Amino acid sequence: MSKIWSKEETLWSFALYGTAVGAGTLFLPIQLGAAGSLVLLITALVAWPLTYWPHRALCQFILSSNTSAGVGITGAVSHYYGRKIGNIITALYFIAFFVVVLIYAVAITNSLTEQLAKHMPLTTGVRVMVSAGVVLVLNLIFLMGRHITLKVMGFLVFPLIAYFLFLSLWLTRSWDPSLLAGQMEFSTHTLHQVWISIPVMVFAFSHTPIISTFAIDRREKYGDLAMGKCKKIMKVAYLIICLSVMFFVISCLLSIPANYISSAKHEGVTILSALSMMPNSPAWLAVSGIIVAVVAMSKSFLGTYFGVIEGATEVVRTSLNVVGVHKSRAFNRAMSIIMVSAITFLICCINPNAISMISVISGPLIAMILFIMPTISTYLIPSLKPYRSVGSFITLVVGILCVSVMFVS
């Protein structure tokens, strides 16, 4: 291990990058553009520490537990807090990412109906058919099997990242500094906007599910040295993630007038839709934007859907056992897919605002798992005391602020 940086570390950096940069990246410019320039500046300054610190804390939490190989977040929680608390965290984990699935499904439906609205009247019946089509197609891809689906998702990672970087650079030709020149006065309104933007930032940069896989892989290979190896990879990966995502956000906001940002936020669509709304937008951008938005959100949907279905299968099994009914795993899994699909279809038809769902539900729930649980554990679990730091304390405070949006909003 004399190499400063190995090929394996490069591959894990790409894995972290690929899971962090995706559909969430398309919502961040919408929230920051509506919040104002000063909020954008503050976000740019805190993006790296508030991505690195919480994911490092979760990694430490998993690696410090004396659980058997292959056990991740829920196993670590059960180790420290017992089975009952572990079940609660498992349920919270399931709900948090079930909401993520709903957000992506709604946003995909909105992106498609927005394009249809340009060519035909958008009636309730049309939305119902598009919602059904979205849920059906995503399930058909999912039912092809984990191996094929993950292979396709992995293949899509690099074209999507390349598109984001290309678009960021292409937009530099139309930068207008005046679009970010205003709203630079610090006031109570600025603090309020920073506060309500925290959940969207948490959502955009979070890739909690892969941390278990990452930590387990490093522990199996390096044992007690795993945390040092994890931190080495995370520092580099998160620096690249934050620089590229913030460059994309700033490039978009220097090119898109505020009224298009507001319209996109109201309609629950992504920043690519805001770009296509502009009158001088080239035809290739409108076409590629809708394709990339749908592909990016579908990739993120499927990546989260596997865990959601596994969690739903366990919920179905437990519920049936309570009433004395015992069915096979295949039956429970089929029922979970039907249940999750029916709820997803219903939510797509209702069409709640995607940014609002992120701010009030998904962001705060992810913060409970990613920001609060591993950091507050350093004050509750004696064996985790060495991991207390200024960074972990700030992470805990930001997590509490994020969760408070759920209750105050």
Side-chain angles (χ1 to χ4, degrees):
M1 293 303 296
S2 59
K3 291 183 179 179
I4 296 175
W5 190 262
S6 67
K7 178 182 178 181
E8 188 178 37
E9 287 166 333
T10 301
L11 292 175
W12 266 115
S13 296
F14 279 133
L16 294 176
Y17 190 103
T19 51
V21 179
T25 308
L26 300 176
F27 288 106
L28 188 61
I30 298 292
Q31 176 61 35
L32 296 182
S37 307
L38 193 55
V39 178
L40 172 63
L41 176 62
I42 293 171
T43 303
L45 294 174
V46 303
W48 186 83
L50 291 183
T51 302
Y52 174 63
W53 288 340
H55 289 93
R56 180 191 65 181
L58 184 59
C59 204
Q60 289 170 338
F61 181 80
I62 295 169
L63 290 175
S64 298
S65 65
N66 296 320
T67 53
S68 59
V71 177
I73 296 173
T74 55
V77 174
S78 297
H79 169 76
Y80 288 122
Y81 295 107
R83 185 176 295 276
K84 288 184 178 179
I85 300 297
N87 289 338
I88 293 173
I89 295 298
T90 300
L92 186 67
Y93 193 86
F94 166 67
I95 295 169
F97 290 99
F98 186 18
V99 175
V100 171
V101 162
L102 298 178
I103 290 168
Y104 289 142
V106 169
I108 292 169
T109 304
N110 287 344
S111 296
L112 293 174
T113 53
E114 180 203 15
Q115 295 301 311
L116 288 176
K118 296 177 181 178
H119 308 286
M120 60 186 292
L122 189 59
T123 63
T124 303
V126 171
R127 182 168 188 91
V128 168
M129 286 191 293
V130 173
S131 300
V134 167
V135 174
L136 178 62
V137 170
L138 290 172
N139 269 297
L140 287 174
I141 297 172
F142 171 76
L143 292 172
M144 291 170 64
R146 181 184 293 269
H147 178 72
I148 294 176
T149 304
L150 292 178
K151 189 173 182 179
V152 172
M153 287 165 54
F155 175 77
L156 292 173
V157 166
F158 292 105
L160 289 174
I161 292 172
Y163 182 86
F164 287 143
L165 292 176
F166 167 76
L167 188 60
S168 302
L169 292 169
W170 183 81
L171 288 173
T172 58
R173 57 196 288 275
S174 57
W175 278 8
D176 181 2
S178 65
L179 294 176
L180 292 181
Q183 303 178 358
M184 291 299 289
E185 294 183 4
F186 189 82
S187 63
T188 54
H189 175 71
T190 305
L191 290 175
H192 180 264
Q193 289 298 317
V194 170
W195 174 56
I196 64 174
S197 296
I198 292 174
V200 182
M201 190 188 79
V202 169
F203 179 86
F205 287 102
S206 167
H207 47 283
T208 307
I210 200 176
I211 295 300
S212 281
T213 307
F214 176 51
I216 290 167
D217 179 84
R218 298 294 86 187
R219 178 165 56 192
E220 290 176 349
K221 182 160 188 177
Y222 295 105
D224 294 338
L225 301 176
M227 193 61 228
K229 300 297 182 181
C230 287
K231 288 196 289 186
K232 178 183 177 182
I233 294 169
M234 292 167 112
K235 285 178 181 178
V236 174
Y238 295 157
L239 179 62
I240 299 171
I241 288 167
C242 292
L243 287 175
S244 60
V245 170
M246 291 313 301
F247 177 51
F248 174 74
V249 170
I250 291 170
S251 192
C252 287
L253 298 185
L254 280 169
S255 308
I256 307 173
N259 59 312
Y260 294 104
I261 300 286
S262 299
S263 179
K265 184 177 182 180
H266 176 71
E267 294 178 16
V269 293
T270 68
I271 194 66
L272 297 180
S273 293
L275 279 168
S276 67
M277 292 177 189
M278 296 172 61
N280 295 324
S281 176
W284 68 264
L285 182 58
V287 174
S288 64
I290 183 65
I291 294 173
V292 168
V294 170
V295 168
M297 289 185 289
S298 298
K299 180 182 76 69
S300 297
F301 175 98
L302 291 166
T304 310
Y305 199 56
F306 281 105
V308 169
I309 293 300
E310 290 303 315
T313 301
E314 186 63 22
V315 170
V316 171
R317 184 191 68 80
T318 305
S319 301
L320 291 176
N321 288 350
V322 168
V323 296
V325 177
H326 301 279
K327 294 289 186 178
S328 66
R329 178 171 176 79
F331 177 86
N332 295 335
R333 182 177 169 83
M335 289 300 298
S336 71
I337 293 173
I338 293 170
M339 179 184 71
V340 170
S341 298
I343 295 173
T344 304
F345 168 70
L346 182 62
I347 295 298
C348 286
C349 293
I350 295 172
N351 188 25
N353 186 273
I355 295 290
S356 296
M357 290 176 73
I358 293 171
S359 298
V360 181
I361 306 175
S362 183
L365 289 177
I366 292 173
M368 289 181 190
I369 298 167
L370 180 62
F371 281 66
I372 296 177
M373 182 189 70
T375 52
I376 201 171
S377 295
T378 63
Y379 297 92
L380 299 177
I381 308 297
S383 62
L384 295 178
K385 184 178 179 180
Y387 294 120
R388 293 180 193 173
S389 65
V390 174
S392 65
F393 178 75
I394 293 172
T395 300
L396 176 60
V397 171
V398 172
I400 293 170
L401 287 173
C402 185
V403 172
S404 69
V405 176
M406 172 188 287
F407 297 103
V408 178
S409 293

